[in-house]
Amino acid sequence: MAATPTYVTIAEERLAEQTAETIQRLVSEGVHEALANGDPTLWGEDAQAEAAVRLGWLSLPLTSRELLPEIGKLVERARAEGLDHVVLAGMGGSSLAPEVICNTADVPLTVLDTTDPHQVRRALADRLDRTVVVVASKSGGTVETDSHRRVYEKAFRDAGIDPAGRIVVVTDPGSPLEQAAIEAGYPVILADPNVGGRYSALSAFGLVPSALAGADVEKLLDDAAEVRPLLARAEGNPGLDLGAALGAAALAGRDKLVLEDSMSEINGLPDWIEQLVAESTGKSAKGILPVVGADPNETDDELVAGIESGGAVTVSGPLGAQFLIWEYATAIAGRVLGIDPFNQPNVTESKENTGALLAAGELPADTPALVEGPVEVYGAEAEGAKDLREVLTRLLQAIPENGYMAIMAYLDREAAFDAPVADGASFDDMTDAWSAADPLTLRGLLAARTDRPVTFGWGPRFLHSTGQYHKGGPQNGVFLQITGANEGDLEVPGKPYTLGRLQLAQALGDQGALVKRGRPAVRLHLTDRAAGVAHLLAAAREL
């Protein structure tokens, strides 16, 4: 079978000129070949040490093949034991790629990248007797993933199931998780330590859960290997073309990257690109802001990039190739922008704030600036507001001319599907019911009332993604947090906190990091989640 062609097209004349000029400069400096050969000096002296241990992703299309026999044995064992419910406990780079791979392959995967007790309980209640859990953490100390492991270990034991037959660990060599897994008797697949989390799509982190779920991961590697030789070329190099376009556009002020995939058979790639680009470029008050699930506003600071579909830039090719092209392009864009695309200096700040809050005992209980039905409103920007509509209006008006709004919901992202639907309802009716109960609907309602980008992230998932950009990128964001009361919290075995307490501490910790930077930040707390979402959406419709 002939390989699917992979290429980048640029539809705008001025952008094509800017891209060509940038490529010419990069090629004259030998950047294309140097990157393909893994040269860690490309991003400056300060970045060299980090880059020296972060370029292993370039060879994954070949080196990851060594994992296939071991992964194949895991899959065979799971099939033989009837374990057909695959749960992935992982955050950021450990979960976003497998989610795209499995959605595109149309195979089921339950992703736990949350500390919401309702969402975790939902997963626990689903076919525990047929569940295999992949615990994936590069560092081995990710608090969310550690909590999931502890919760599932207890659930398995309570059900009379030996966790050693149900938990698979993916981590870096020498991590505390590797040692814990060995002691517990869990199968361990070690990832390449020279690959950063957001560049790990083609590593064990992407392959193990996807293969267990039923995706053809060998085909993924084949497609990436097909495009790999192109990345050393001066011409016909899709990674160089895309990276130069992203970097040149951002330098020209087009730093809002609207990702469009409506015509693509690849399902959900913009969510993965969002983390890769935002966390890699959003630092030193610079960066490219990916905007997912939104229509373009046709403003001067937008660049529309399409996956197999029209945009100023269009990237065509199969999923494995797309992963490698976007990784190479992001590294190139980092060179053009003058930043280190491999570090994440501001991610730890919110983690440290969360840890301090948990260590202090009871979480701080502030007085709300406003209470309207099932919604409590916290934050200086809400002081003196007469109602929720005024709060939302103030936030929209506070967005700078070149800024954006970020909505961050620390809630159960599956809860909308619990919305009551009448017997015999059509699919359109069901979709309307789900939309009316979904916090994500707020993004579209607020976006319709501004020409500035409105992004949406589920917390704490976004902390491992756009959270770096929020704090390290251009300081022109306005932030709206949504938290909710927990009915039926969940203990984290062996820890002095529950999932609900951890979740709220994460929200408060991140809010503190944003407020410290003087950015407008409001938290809406839903004392009744379902009623609170309905009330919030009703207020937004009235703006």
Side-chain angles (χ1 to χ4, degrees):
M1 182 182 295
T4 303
T6 301
Y7 53 92
V8 171
T9 55
I10 299 175
E12 295 178 3
E13 184 176 352
R14 178 59 184 140
L15 179 60
E17 292 172 356
Q18 293 169 331
T19 302
E21 292 168 3
T22 303
I23 289 174
Q24 185 177 16
R25 184 174 73 252
L26 292 168
V27 168
S28 70
E29 296 166 352
V31 170
H32 59 301
E33 286 185 311
L35 176 54
N37 292 327
D39 183 348
T41 67
L42 291 173
W43 302 275
E45 186 175 343
D46 291 343
Q48 184 171 343
E50 180 85 24
V53 293
R54 287 293 176 264
L55 289 166
W57 52 271
L58 286 157
S59 57
L60 289 177
L62 300 177
T63 58
S64 284
R65 292 181 188 279
E66 300 168 5
L67 299 173
L68 294 179
E70 191 175 1
I71 293 173
K73 291 177 183 177
L74 286 176
V75 173
E76 288 177 12
R77 192 189 81 177
R79 297 290 180 272
E81 297 178 5
L83 304 180
D84 58 359
H85 180 218
V86 183
V87 174
L88 170 58
M91 302 298 297
S94 299
S95 64
L96 289 165
E99 191 168 63
V100 177
I101 295 167
C102 292
N103 284 344
T104 299
D106 196 22
V107 295
L109 176 69
T110 297
V111 175
L112 279 186
D113 53 1
T114 181
T115 45
D116 186 84
H118 301 264
Q119 193 170 333
V120 175
R121 282 188 183 278
R122 184 186 302 276
L124 287 170
D126 184 7
R127 297 166 287 163
L128 186 67
D129 61 323
R130 289 153 48 192
T131 293
V132 57
V133 181
V134 179
V135 177
S137 170
K138 179 177 173 62
S139 69
T142 309
V143 65
E144 299 95 336
T145 307
D146 177 69
S147 299
H148 299 150
R149 175 178 63 85
R150 293 168 180 270
V151 166
Y152 262 97
E153 285 173 340
K154 181 178 187 302
F156 284 135
R157 291 193 182 105
D158 288 350
I161 298 170
D162 183 358
R166 297 301 191 88
I167 293 177
V168 174
V169 166
V170 181
T171 190
D172 274 7
S175 81
L177 180 57
E178 181 194 13
Q179 187 58 43
I182 291 171
E183 292 172 1
Y186 302 153
V188 181
I189 294 189
L190 296 176
D192 186 336
N194 294 318
V195 177
R198 57 188 177 274
Y199 290 81
S200 65
L202 299 170
S203 76
F205 288 106
L207 303 185
V208 172
S210 302
L212 282 167
D216 184 350
V217 297
E218 187 172 4
K219 172 68 162 57
L220 201 72
L221 295 177
D222 288 345
D223 289 336
E226 193 76 35
V227 78
R228 175 68 177 83
L230 304 181
L231 302 183
R233 294 184 183 178
E235 296 181 6
N237 180 339
L240 180 62
D241 293 345
L242 178 59
L246 296 177
L251 286 180
R254 300 174 71 178
D255 60 354
K256 312 300 188 300
L257 180 66
V258 180
L259 295 162
E260 208 285 319
D261 69 339
S262 61
M263 302 299 290
S264 176
E265 294 183 0
I266 299 173
N267 192 337
L269 187 60
D271 288 316
W272 175 83
I273 295 171
E274 179 181 47
Q275 186 211 11
L276 175 71
V277 172
E279 198 169 51
S280 297
T281 69
K283 58 201 70 169
S284 304
K286 302 177 183 179
I288 298 169
L289 175 68
V291 183
V292 177
D295 294 326
N297 287 313
E298 299 182 0
T299 53
D300 291 341
D301 60 348
E302 280 186 347
L303 175 69
V304 180
I307 309 300
E308 304 282 3
S309 57
V313 179
T314 301
V315 186
S316 301
L319 180 56
Q322 292 270 0
F323 282 143
L324 194 59
I325 290 167
W326 280 95
E327 288 166 348
Y328 184 102
T330 301
I332 289 289
R335 163 83 179 203
V336 174
L337 294 174
I339 54 93
D340 176 358
F342 304 112
N343 69 351
Q344 47 279 335
N346 304 102
V347 167
T348 58
E349 183 178 352
S350 292
K351 293 180 183 179
E352 291 168 355
N353 289 353
T354 297
L357 287 168
L358 289 173
E362 287 299 314
L363 298 179
D366 294 337
T367 301
L370 172 70
V371 178
E372 185 176 299
V375 181
E376 298 175 344
V377 185
Y378 297 86
E381 284 71 21
E383 294 292 343
K386 66 178 184 298
D387 57 24
L388 185 54
R389 286 179 297 172
E390 183 177 342
V391 173
L392 296 176
T393 299
R394 286 184 184 182
L395 284 176
L396 289 169
Q397 292 173 342
I399 305 173
E401 183 179 353
N402 63 339
Y404 66 99
M405 174 186 279
I407 303 171
M408 305 160 292
Y410 292 80
L411 300 168
D412 175 1
R413 65 172 170 147
E414 305 292 332
F417 297 115
D418 295 334
V421 177
D423 291 340
S426 68
F427 181 74
D428 286 344
D429 289 339
M430 288 190 290
T431 301
D432 288 344
W434 296 332
S435 178
D438 193 346
L440 179 56
T441 302
L442 181 64
R443 194 212 64 77
L445 293 173
L446 296 185
R449 288 154 178 82
T450 176
D451 66 354
R452 304 312 307 144
V454 179
T455 66
F456 186 97
W458 294 102
R461 165 185 172 123
F462 79 89
L463 290 175
H464 299 257
S465 176
T466 52
Q468 166 63 41
Y469 183 96
H470 292 166
K471 294 177 281 289
Q475 292 301 293
N476 56 11
V478 171
F479 301 93
L480 178 62
Q481 283 188 338
I482 309 172
T483 57
N486 285 305
E487 298 176 7
D489 205 347
L490 200 56
E491 296 287 336
V492 179
K495 292 294 183 179
Y497 50 77
T498 63
L499 280 179
R501 186 158 164 245
L502 171 59
Q503 182 186 42
L504 183 57
Q506 289 176 312
L508 296 177
D510 194 48
Q511 185 181 26
L514 296 169
V515 170
K516 177 182 174 182
R517 288 167 171 76
R519 301 313 310 156
V522 166
R523 179 169 69 93
L524 308 180
H525 185 70
L526 313 181
T527 53
D528 178 306
R529 290 191 177 201
V533 169
H535 191 90
L536 176 56
L537 297 183
R541 289 189 186 96
E542 294 173 1
L543 295 181

